[in-house]
Amino acid sequence: MKSFLSHFVDGISIFFFNLLQKPCSLPPDFPSQLSSYIDSWRKASFKEYYYPDSRYENKITTYIASAIYRQDQLTFPSFVRSPHSCSNYATFELFPSKKGWHQAPTMILLHGLLSFSLKGYIKWVRWLNNKGWNGVIMHLPYHFQRKPASFSLFSPSCVQPNIVHTMETLRQSVIDLYIFTKSLRLIGSPLIGAWGISYGGWTITQVACLEKTFHKLILVEPLLNIQHVIWGSPIGKEIRKKLKRLGISQSETEPHLRLACPSFSMPKVRGDNILLVGGQFDPISPPWILKKIQEKWEAKHLYILPVGHLNYTLTPESFKLASKCWKDDFSIDDH
């Protein structure tokens, strides 16, 4: 019964996502655009791809380090500029604990691609506050406050057949998060953790591979094998259809994987501080991918539960498992 319900819910959500991709057209010269983009970064290192300009970094981190004590919502201009002005300002919701940013640990939450509301995430931020943690919710590009006014729920623009745009959106979110975490370190945050689901897990992992920023990683059905997401999973059906129509094959995107796909990198986090949570019936981030990642990263904690990709059970389960895996870090109540 669980298998049937999981496939049914995933099927509806995946159909909806592919439906939203149908209006996304690619220009006839997109193959050359894609080739030029990949070639422009072919010799770049992982850090060169994601590090912002030093002047921008110094200016924004200084601003955040000061503003974080005065604001409930923090915004700053993204280093990577989107063609849609609505998404050009990084946005973070701030929920400090009683001890504050420089004394208590901080957990940053990154939502999934099809998230409609912050309501559920705020519930778990309050739970973290009660456990003595500061909580932060990041608005990913084209979601919540960063979505176009024409979309009432969310925008499909975050991931689309235009792979160049998809990669630049990823760079934007990675740099936004990197800058924010750099500011936390600047003010002396004692411990920084990150929780991410699906697309949010993809962003978090890329930041974790840049520097020793995070002390704890909680990755829930993270997108860690991008080739599978685009070329093998049902959610990539409309994307690959449009790419194949222009003669773009999987092999042509492979040179860029070392910069874009977490499965090619190693997070700078100890294996016993990484928690992977997946769904047994997940077709987008299936168990076999998570198990391979666990072996490569030497991650100590991997749990596969009987659900699909789109569900409401893995979020509470992931926090319960985190409390179990790292009991000392979640045992101090902030009352």
Side-chain angles (χ1 to χ4, degrees), residues 207-268:
V207 176
C209 293
L210 275 174
E211 289 187 0
K212 292 181 179 180
T213 296
F214 299 123
H215 300 83
K216 304 287 183 182
L217 286 185
I218 307 173
L219 304 176
V220 183
E221 299 180 312
L223 305 184
L224 301 179
N225 186 321
I226 307 309
Q227 284 288 68
H228 172 76
V229 173
I230 295 175
W231 298 100
S233 80
I235 206 167
K237 179 180 178 181
E238 193 63 30
I239 292 176
R240 58 180 174 266
K241 182 189 295 184
K242 292 182 182 294
L243 293 174
K244 288 179 178 179
R245 193 174 294 160
L246 290 176
I248 298 172
S249 65
Q250 179 175 338
S251 62
E252 291 171 86
T253 61
E254 287 178 352
H256 200 67
L257 290 178
R258 65 185 182 86
L259 301 176
C261 185
S263 64
F264 281 67
S265 303
M266 286 287 292
K268 301 181 186 299

Side-chain angles (χ1 to χ4, degrees), residues 61-306:
T61 53
T62 301
Y63 162 73
I64 295 172
S66 172
I68 197 170
Y69 293 101
R70 307 190 308 266
Q71 301 179 15
D72 296 327
Q73 185 188 83
L74 194 150
T75 62
F76 56 88
S78 292
F79 179 71
V80 175
R81 310 306 287 171
S82 161
H84 305 90
S85 59
C86 63
S87 196
N88 278 337
Y89 283 84
T91 304
F92 293 81
E93 305 285 342
L94 308 177
F95 301 86
S97 67
K98 292 180 181 179
K99 291 184 178 179
W101 299 105
H102 65 286
Q103 290 186 318
T106 298
M107 183 70 72
I108 307 172
L109 279 66
L110 272 70
H111 57 84
L113 190 63
L114 300 180
S115 294
F116 295 153
S117 168
L118 288 174
K119 185 177 179 180
Y121 300 106
I122 292 175
K123 171 187 173 182
W124 290 103
V125 165
R126 296 304 186 191
W127 179 84
L128 286 164
N129 284 161
N130 289 332
K131 294 295 183 182
W133 288 68
N134 303 308
V136 178
I137 304 175
M138 178 182 176
H139 295 219
L140 287 168
Y142 300 101
H143 286 76
F144 306 133
Q145 191 168 299
R146 301 177 71 172
K147 69 179 180 354
S150 57
F151 286 88
S152 58
L153 295 176
F154 63 89
S155 168
S157 299
C158 205
V159 174
Q160 57 172 271
N162 187 327
I163 297 180
V164 173
H165 175 80
T166 298
M167 291 299 99
E168 282 299 282
T169 301
L170 174 68
R171 281 186 68 234
Q172 184 182 51
S173 62
V174 169
I175 295 173
D176 289 347
L177 179 58
Y178 164 76
I179 286 292
F180 183 81
T181 57
K182 191 73 179 288
S183 302
L184 287 179
R185 288 157 56 196
L186 185 64
I187 62 176
S189 178
L191 186 152
I192 305 172
W195 178 97
I197 187 168
S198 191
Y199 185 91
W202 183 9
T203 301
I204 284 172
T205 305
Q206 297 299 80
V207 176
C209 293
L210 275 174
E211 289 187 0
K212 292 181 179 180
T213 296
F214 299 123
H215 300 83
K216 304 287 183 182
L217 286 185
I218 307 173
L219 304 176
V220 183
E221 299 180 312
L223 305 184
L224 301 179
N225 186 321
I226 307 309
Q227 284 288 68
H228 172 76
V229 173
I230 295 175
W231 298 100
S233 80
I235 206 167
K237 179 180 178 181
E238 193 63 30
I239 292 176
R240 58 180 174 266
K241 182 189 295 184
K242 292 182 182 294
L243 293 174
K244 288 179 178 179
R245 193 174 294 160
L246 290 176
I248 298 172
S249 65
Q250 179 175 338
S251 62
E252 291 171 86
T253 61
E254 287 178 352
H256 200 67
L257 290 178
R258 65 185 182 86
L259 301 176
C261 185
S263 64
F264 281 67
S265 303
M266 286 287 292
K268 301 181 186 299
V269 181
R270 283 191 350 222
D272 58 342
N273 286 329
I274 299 174
L275 169 60
L276 296 167
V277 184
Q280 181 181 348
F281 313 117
D282 185 351
I284 302 169
S285 182
W288 65 266
I289 288 177
L290 297 186
K291 289 174 182 177
K292 280 191 173 183
I293 291 292
Q294 180 195 23
E295 293 176 3
K296 179 177 180 179
W297 293 355
E298 298 182 351
K300 182 178 179 180
H301 310 290
L302 169 64
Y303 294 87
I304 305 296
L305 304 178

